[in-house]
């Protein structure tokens, strides 16, 4: 069977095969990268930066290159050489590009040569607009990392976004509210923070860090009471901790809001089965003692006989 590599997105639109391993850290959104690439379509050479001796430099996550590169590079380390099989939707879509056959898949050989670290500023040095932009970029970085299975890195990116939005655990809520007096900016901040709380919770569930996942589900519910995804993910976190009653309550509430969600329904059924199993195990462990009738003389110790 032909080895086409790893399906990075899970939908067959971006397949990656590593030809040579790299080293060090993976690039983050906003950092500048330098790459060499060779592009082919239908076995025809379309472009070759190495042949020209001109590597390409750009900032990751800024929309300067095709979506396939934006999604693949967060999984690469410096020095790594990989091939990419790219569906048209992850490249140029329906656009007419001079030497690229319309609607064709592209084959890339991509080499990550260099990563230039991003210079970070404290949020106090940034305007609200800059903080919103930085948080949006951090969220996008988290999404890219999540898609390729780097859940710890994704969690770090979502935390960075929440820091910029003033929604980290240690933030001074009164001081922050004073910075977001503009109604539109405040609404955008709230919406972005909610998305990051939910995504962070999902990443932590993948890492099986259930207590932390519950914390951020709670934070999401503070921003949007009764949010179905927050209820569902808090229910999953409670299941991971073995808190079956609270898990059932959250999953049931989420199921009532999302009547068509088979995923939520299956989780609720699993929770109910686990609750029933633990109840049965508890009865077995106590030898049925808890279920006995206290007035049943057959199970009571014999009454003491009067002294002679």
């Amino acid at each position: 069977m032909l080895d086409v590599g790893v399906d990075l997105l899970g939908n067959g639109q971006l397949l990656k095969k590593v030809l040579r391993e790299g080293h060090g850290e993976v690039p983050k959104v906003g950092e500048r990268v330098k790459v060499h690439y060779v592009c082919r379509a239908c076995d025809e050479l379309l472009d070759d930066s190495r042949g020209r001796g001109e590597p390409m430099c750009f900032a990751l996550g800024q929309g300067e290159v095709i979506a396939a590169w934006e999604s693949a590079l967060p999984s690469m380390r410096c020095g790594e050489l990989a091939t990419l099989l790219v569906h048209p939707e992850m490249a140029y879509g329906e656009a007419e590009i001079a030497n690229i056959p319309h609607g064709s898949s592209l084959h890339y050989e991509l080499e990550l040569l260099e990563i230039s670290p991003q210079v970070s500023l404290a949020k106090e040095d940034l305007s609200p607009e800059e903080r919103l932009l930085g948080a949006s970029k951090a969220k996008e970085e988290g999404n890219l990392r999540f898609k390729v299975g780097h859940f710890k890195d994704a969690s770090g990116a979502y935390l960075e976004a929440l820091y910029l939005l003033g929604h980290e655990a240690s933030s001074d809520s009164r001081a922050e509210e004073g910075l977001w007096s503009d109604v539109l900016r405040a609404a955008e901040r709230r919406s972005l923070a909610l998305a990051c709380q939910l995504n962070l919770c999902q990443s932590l569930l993948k890492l099986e860090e259930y207590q932390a996942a519950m914390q951020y589900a709670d934070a999401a519910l503070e921003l949007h009471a009764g949010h179905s995804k927050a209820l569902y993910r808090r229910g999953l976190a409670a299941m991971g901790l073995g808190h079956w009653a609270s898990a059932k309550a959250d999953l049931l509430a989420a199921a009532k809001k999302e009547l068509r969600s088979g995923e939520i329904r299956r989780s609720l059924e699993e929770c109910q089965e686990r609750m029933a199993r633990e109840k049965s195990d508890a009865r077995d462990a106590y030898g049925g003692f808890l279920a006995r009738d206290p007035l049943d003389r057959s199970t009571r110790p014999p009454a003491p006989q009067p002294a002679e």
Side-chain angles (χ1 to χ4, degrees):
M1 181 178 179
L2 181 62
D3 180 10
V4 294
V6 176
D7 186 349
L8 289 182
L9 304 180
N11 59 10
Q13 293 191 352
L14 179 58
L15 305 179
K16 174 192 171 191
K17 181 179 179 181
V18 176
L19 302 180
R20 185 183 68 227
E21 297 286 349
H23 56 85
E25 298 295 320
V26 295
K28 300 177 177 63
V29 168
E31 292 182 331
R32 294 193 65 78
V33 296
K34 181 187 291 187
V35 303
H36 262 316
Y37 67 93
V38 177
C39 178
R40 294 184 173 85
C42 304
D43 295 326
E44 178 183 352
L45 179 65
L46 302 179
D47 197 3
D48 180 1
S49 70
R50 192 179 289 106
R52 297 194 309 272
E54 298 176 358
M56 184 174 181
C57 298
F58 56 92
L60 189 62
Q62 309 304 306
E64 298 178 39
V65 294
I66 62 173
W69 284 22
E70 297 278 23
S71 296
L73 281 163
S75 71
M76 298 179 68
R77 301 181 186 279
C78 205
E80 181 176 320
L81 178 66
T83 60
L84 305 177
L85 177 57
V86 180
H87 186 277
E89 290 298 318
M90 294 296 292
Y92 301 102
E94 297 299 318
E96 298 288 344
I97 307 297
N99 60 338
I100 297 179
H102 181 71
S104 63
S105 294
L106 299 178
H107 297 256
Y108 281 97
E109 186 177 283
L110 188 64
E111 181 181 11
L112 179 55
L113 301 172
E114 185 179 304
I115 303 170
S116 299
Q118 183 181 22
V119 177
S120 299
L121 294 174
K123 67 181 180 182
E124 291 78 14
D125 299 325
L126 303 174
S127 68
E129 292 85 354
E130 290 171 326
R131 288 171 64 173
L132 283 170
L133 180 60
S136 182
K137 290 178 179 178
K139 173 178 170 284
E140 182 59 28
E141 177 189 350
N143 293 347
L144 290 171
R145 298 302 178 89
F146 188 93
K147 285 179 181 178
V148 296
H150 295 174
F151 304 121
K152 193 171 185 64
D153 291 337
S155 297
Y158 296 135
L159 285 169
E160 173 67 15
L162 290 170
Y163 163 76
L164 288 169
L165 294 170
H167 274 277
E168 78 277 24
S170 60
S171 65
D172 183 341
S173 58
R174 290 185 179 179
E176 284 294 330
E177 291 301 328
L179 296 173
W180 303 94
S181 56
D182 180 83
V183 175
L184 292 178
R185 280 202 296 262
E188 185 178 354
R189 174 197 180 219
R190 186 182 185 88
S191 176
L192 189 52
L194 176 61
C196 289
Q197 301 281 18
L198 291 170
N199 292 355
L200 177 55
C201 179
Q202 182 76 335
S203 293
L204 292 167
L205 286 171
K206 292 287 187 181
L207 293 167
E208 299 184 357
E209 296 181 16
Y210 300 118
Q211 193 65 56
M214 185 171 287
Q215 172 190 340
Y216 289 104
D218 283 338
L221 287 165
E222 287 180 12
L223 289 174
H224 187 154
H227 194 285
S228 57
K229 284 185 178 178
L231 288 168
Y232 175 52
R233 292 174 188 175
R234 189 171 70 175
L236 293 180
M239 284 181 67
L241 293 169
H243 300 167
W244 305 112
S246 59
K248 179 182 176 182
D250 279 340
L251 294 173
L252 187 58
K256 288 179 179 178
K257 292 176 177 292
E258 302 289 343
L259 297 177
R260 297 185 178 182
S261 174
E263 183 180 6
I264 295 176
R265 188 171 60 253
R266 286 189 295 273
S267 295
L268 177 58
E269 290 170 354
E270 181 187 348
C271 180
Q272 292 170 326
E273 289 171 3
R274 293 289 296 272
M275 288 180 72
R277 194 182 313 148
E278 288 213 349
K279 187 175 181 180
S280 175
D281 291 345
R283 283 198 302 266
D284 292 342
Y286 286 98
F289 172 75
L290 296 177
R292 292 173 182 159
D293 183 348
L295 298 179
D296 182 355
R297 294 181 178 275
S298 66
T299 63
R300 295 170 67 186
Q305 296 298 317
E308 293 183 0

